[in-house]
């Protein structure tokens, strides 16, 4: 295998593994914050127990998130040294700020997790949520800004293969940063909520500890509420993304839609099989004119096709499938949350019917797969560039030997970490009922309201 | 002060912070496992856990901060060190990942496992060894540039007496610093027997510590005479380092003023660390990266400096809060916690 491909697979596996934990790391704090708020506000120890139990599991996932984040931070220099030498002149600022945000979060997370019983006034402990949410969300913001710069570089001039006249702020606030930050943060919140919803649904299906039913129903309600709001925001973000791609990265839009001819009244293509020879898409679901409308809110919007983009700058066409998966999985989660509330509010059916519980359960894993598909779409969609328009991936890879062995070692590491992490989490909650945790934390006499 | 000096001072200071907190952290993990093996677990482990649990993540950020900062201020380091360190760097990363995750797995698991304690205990000693390789390489002589780009001469590194001295220095330093800190922490916790155990470990490690630090000088003289000569201009820093060390050992011996004794250890390392750093200038990586020619463009250096100052305004009070709650709080350290809500 050639070095570029090896380098790309190493980075893809590190990031593919890291974003599972990073997404949880960005999203869970906000759920914990809401649950602790409800618990203190309603004086309901079930919500408080929920916050505490989630926080306990969160410690384990955050550990894996921290170590894989450290890995990717250093791997950028190890695998792509030329990129960091050139790009380091510009992305240093958001990278540095990301570390600060993370530092801030790490300090308060340490305090938060070990001070549940140390404050007389519970609101003081709740306040610790604020720096954690701010820190985790800001790290997502800054790191997304780095990635956005690689997609839509700005804030410099190029002279003899060196960046000059650099404006660090303009580089951070590059054209795609707002849309991407919005999309990343909304989907992280959404995914974390649906993952916790899945756990609640799963526990209700298994019904191992019958006295826990009320607890898990409450958990399902909170997570579905957060889920539906953030899913709506995600849909909005997706709409912005289409417009931004149309304006800033037309080749990615064309590749992900298999759109060859530049035209107005362009169709949106879902699924299908591509016949590359004849540039024809078979068996697809076509929504007439929708692509033009999504790109510019008008059917007359002219959408650039692949034929107007130099052949050696075409992104791989496989990203169309990632796009489909992302949209379908994301919509599924939104649909499930909607269904839950429709049944609960407007019908006389039981919203906890086992068949429905299975549907809710799927929303979490599918949202996470939507995140993966979305990142594969975004990252493969800017091939062959590492800094779009300025540096190709093939020019950035290290010349050091040993990429093959590095790849194997890291894949083994991720398999072991992933396995142990799941094992610890399952062990942690499988045999301890929520009610017994509540009694342990808050005493037996306290009644749940 | 100009940006290249601001940058290196900031980074060196963070690296110093990392050396202290990581030494405590790594050593504590090792002692935890050692105590398990020798049946002293009941006596000392809860002291170790009580310190480690809330801070291990912060420790890790010191390291991330350093390497993101150095690539930010001096992007050339990404190119030279990144290329030459692919294999050693990956090994260090894998060790760090095993340690970080297995610490968390073990402290969260319903039933802690000895094999997991082994994993994070032993990696705790291998990490300083693998990270210290970077400092070794920065002395020059181990990497060369040819038509194919930057190359690391692994053979040269493997058979270099200087490299091995630094590796042993790193390992002994970890055991020395962390046993010193744990003695102090146990004495604060009023846990007499744990304190005696840690004190014994500290005294055991202080002798090799004295020996190895002298050895490092001798082998530096062999390896990079230029650096050795410029280090002699700062002889007073190294002298102060030795002096503070001797006083610290004396205080531990006498079981007196352990808080002050640990501060002296921190000073001892600070004097040696800054003395080494200053005498190394202007090279970050001899002779490829000179801080005067490889600093990031001026507008970025300015932005980084501003962000750094703003960041400190946030970090210092937060770190202070963390220390207040988990190190200087009597009730927490002694294991008595108040009833909450």
């Amino acid at each position: 295998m050639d070095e570029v491909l090896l380098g790309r697979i190493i980075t893809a596996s590190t990031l593919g593994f890291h974003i599972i934990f990073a997404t949880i790391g960005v999203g869970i704090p906000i759920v914990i914050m809401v649950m602790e708020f409800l618990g203190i506000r309603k004086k309901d120890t079930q919500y408080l127990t929920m916050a505490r139990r989630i926080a306990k599991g969160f410690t384990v996932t955050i550990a894996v998130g921290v170590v894989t984040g450290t890995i990717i931070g250093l791997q950028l220099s190890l695998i792509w040294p030329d990129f960091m030498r050139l790009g380091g002149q510009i992305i240093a600022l958001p990278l540095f700020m990301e570390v600060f945000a993370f530092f801030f979060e790490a300090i308060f997370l340490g305090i938060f997790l070990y001070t549940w019983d140390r404050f007389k006034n519970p609101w003081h402990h709740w306040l610790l949520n604020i720096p954690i949410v701010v820190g985790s969300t800001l790290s997502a913001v800054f790191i997304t800004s780095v990635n956005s710069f690689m997609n839509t570089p700005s804030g410099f001039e190029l002279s003899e293969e060196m960046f000059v006249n650099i404006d660090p702020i303009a580089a951070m606030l590059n054209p795609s940063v707002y849309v991407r930050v919005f999309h990343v943060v909304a989907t992280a919140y959404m995914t974390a909520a649906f993952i916790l919803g899945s756990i609640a649904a799963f526990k209700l299906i298994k019904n191992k500890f019958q006295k826990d039913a009320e607890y898990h129903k409450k958990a399902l309600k909170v997570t579905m509420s957060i889920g539906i709001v953030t899913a709506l925001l995600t849909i909005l973000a997706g709409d912005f993304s289409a417009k931004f791609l149309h304006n800033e990265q037309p080749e990615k839009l064309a590749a992900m839609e298999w759109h060859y001819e530049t035209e107005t009244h362009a169709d949106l293509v879902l699924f299908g099989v591509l016949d590359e020879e004849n540039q024809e898409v078979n068996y697809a679901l076509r929504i007439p004119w929708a692509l033009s409308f999504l790109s510019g809110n008008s059917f007359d919007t002219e959408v650039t096709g692949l034929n107007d983009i130099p052949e050696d700058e075409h992104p791989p066409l496989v990203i169309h499938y990632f796009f489909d998966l992302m949209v379908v999985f994301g919509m599924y989660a939104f649909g499930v949350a909607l269904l839950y509330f429709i049944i609960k509010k407007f019908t006389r059916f039981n919203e906890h019917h086992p068949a429905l519980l299975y549907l809710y359960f799927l929303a979490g894993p599918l949202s996470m797969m939507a995140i993966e598909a979305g990142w594969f779409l975004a990252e493969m969609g800017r091939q062959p560039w590492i800094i779009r328009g300025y540096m190709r991936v093939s020019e950035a890879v290290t010349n050091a030997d040993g990429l093959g062995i590095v790849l194997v070692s890291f894949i083994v590491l991720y398999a072991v970490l992933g396995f142990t992490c799941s094992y610890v989490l399952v062990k942690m909650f499988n045999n301890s009922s929520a009610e017994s945790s509540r009694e342990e934390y808050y005493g037996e006499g306290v009644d749940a309201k | 002060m100009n940006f290249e000096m601001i940058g290196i001072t900031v980074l060196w200071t963070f690296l110093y912070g990392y050396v202290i907190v990581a030494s405590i952290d790594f050593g504590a993990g090792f002692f935890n496992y050692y105590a398990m093996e020798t049946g002293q677990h009941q006596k000392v482990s809860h002291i170790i856990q009580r310190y480690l649990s809330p801070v291990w993540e912060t420790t890790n950020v010191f390291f991330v901060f350093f390497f993101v900062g150095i690539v930010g201020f001096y992007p050339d380091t990404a190119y030279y060190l990144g290329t030459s360190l692919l294999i050693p760097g990956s090994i260090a990363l894998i060790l760090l990942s095993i340690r970080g995750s297995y610490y968390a797995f073990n402290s969260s698991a319903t039933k802690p496992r000895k094999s997991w304690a082994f994993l994070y205990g032993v990696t705790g000693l291998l990490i300083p060894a693998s990270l210290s390789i970077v400092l070794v390489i920065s002395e020059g002589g181990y990497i060369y540039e040819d038509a194919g780009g930057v190359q690391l001469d692994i053979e040269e590194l493997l058979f270099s007496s200087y490299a091995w001295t630094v590796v042993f220095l790193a390992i002994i330093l970890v055991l020395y610093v962390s046993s010193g800190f744990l003695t102090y922490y146990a004495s604060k916790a009023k846990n007499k027997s744990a304190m005696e155990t840690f004190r014994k470990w500290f005294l055991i490690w202080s002798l090799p510590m004295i020996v190895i630090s002298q050895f490092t000088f001798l082998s530096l003289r062999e390896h990079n005479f230029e650096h050795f000569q410029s280090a002699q201009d700062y002889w007073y820093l190294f002298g102060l380092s030795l002096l503070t060390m001797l006083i610290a050992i004396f205080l531990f011996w006498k079981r007196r003023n352990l808080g002050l004794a640990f501060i002296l250890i921190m000073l001892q390392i600070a004097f040696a660390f800054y003395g080494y750093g200053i005498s190394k200038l202007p090279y970050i990586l001899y002779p490829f990266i000179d801080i005067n020619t490889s600093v990031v463009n001026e507008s970025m250096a300015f932005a980084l400096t501003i962000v750094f100052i703003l960041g400190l305004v946030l970090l210092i009070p937060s770190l202070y809060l963390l220390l207040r709650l988990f190190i200087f709080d009597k009730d927490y350290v002694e294991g008595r916690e108040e009833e909450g809500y």
Side-chain angles (χ1 to χ4, degrees), chain B residues 186-206:
Chain B
S187 83
K188 262 194 84 92
K190 300 215 172 73
N191 187 332
K192 188 98 171 103
S193 72
M195 196 274 265
E196 285 300 323
T197 309
F198 292 133
R199 173 179 166 274
K200 195 177 77 204
W201 289 342
F202 174 81
L203 293 174
I204 289 174
W205 286 108
S206 50

Side-chain angles (χ1 to χ4, degrees), chain A residues 197-364:
Chain A
S198 288
I199 296 174
F202 181 75
K203 292 279 184 184
L204 285 169
I205 294 169
K206 273 211 341 192
N207 201 13
K208 189 169 174 184
F209 303 101
Q210 283 170 8
K211 53 183 177 171
D212 280 3
E214 192 193 343
Y215 170 96
H216 291 307
K217 284 177 183 169
K218 281 182 184 170
L220 191 64
K221 191 176 160 197
V222 178
T223 51
M224 285 295 160
S225 313
I226 301 174
I228 199 163
V229 174
T230 47
L232 279 170
L233 290 175
T234 302
I235 292 171
L236 192 64
D239 182 55
F240 289 161
S241 299
K243 290 179 181 50
F244 128 76
L245 283 178
H246 169 71
N247 292 324
E248 302 289 341
Q249 263 178 303
E251 77 280 6
K252 191 190 269 184
L253 187 67
M256 78 192 216
E257 274 301 310
W258 290 343
H259 184 67
Y260 280 96
E261 292 302 325
T262 301
E263 61 187 4
T264 61
H265 300 80
D267 297 348
L268 185 73
V269 179
L270 286 175
F271 307 108
V273 180
L274 180 69
D275 175 0
E276 275 197 58
E277 289 285 302
N278 303 315
Q279 301 189 352
E280 268 173 30
V281 184
N282 300 318
Y283 317 112
L285 184 69
R286 282 182 172 271
I287 307 175
W289 304 359
L291 184 59
S292 285
F293 190 79
L294 282 177
S295 304
N297 282 344
S298 144
F299 298 121
D300 295 327
T301 311
E302 189 176 73
V303 182
T304 312
L306 280 171
N307 289 340
D308 285 344
I309 292 156
E311 188 114 14
D312 68 338
E313 291 176 18
H314 281 194
L317 295 175
V318 64
I319 62 172
H320 175 74
Y321 298 113
F322 293 123
F323 174 68
D324 287 344
L325 291 179
M326 175 184 81
V327 171
V328 170
F329 292 159
M331 283 312 222
Y332 174 86
F334 173 67
V336 160
L338 198 63
L339 187 69
Y340 172 86
F341 283 105
I342 289 175
I343 292 178
K344 192 176 167 63
K345 301 270 180 208
F346 302 110
T347 73
R348 288 183 295 121
F349 293 113
N350 173 14
E351 77 269 22
H352 300 115
H353 186 279
L356 289 170
L357 290 177
Y358 279 104
L359 292 181
Y360 307 149
F361 166 68
L362 282 178

Side-chain angles (χ1 to χ4, degrees), chain B residues 103-144:
Chain B
Y103 173 73
F105 294 159
N106 215 27
S107 59
S108 315
T110 21
K111 240 208 209 130
R113 287 157 177 261
K114 202 170 168 184
S115 56
W116 294 1
F118 170 79
L119 277 181
Y120 73 83
V122 171
T123 46
L125 288 195
L126 297 176
I127 294 166
S130 66
L131 290 181
S132 62
I133 293 294
V134 183
L135 283 181
V136 173
I137 287 178
S138 73
E139 287 299 325
Y142 303 104
I143 65 179
Y144 56 92

Side-chain angles (χ1 to χ4, degrees), chain A residues 390-401:
Chain A
Y390 295 94
M391 186 182 228
R392 281 173 186 262
V393 173
S394 53
E395 299 165 302
V397 75
T398 181
N399 59 37
D401 299 327

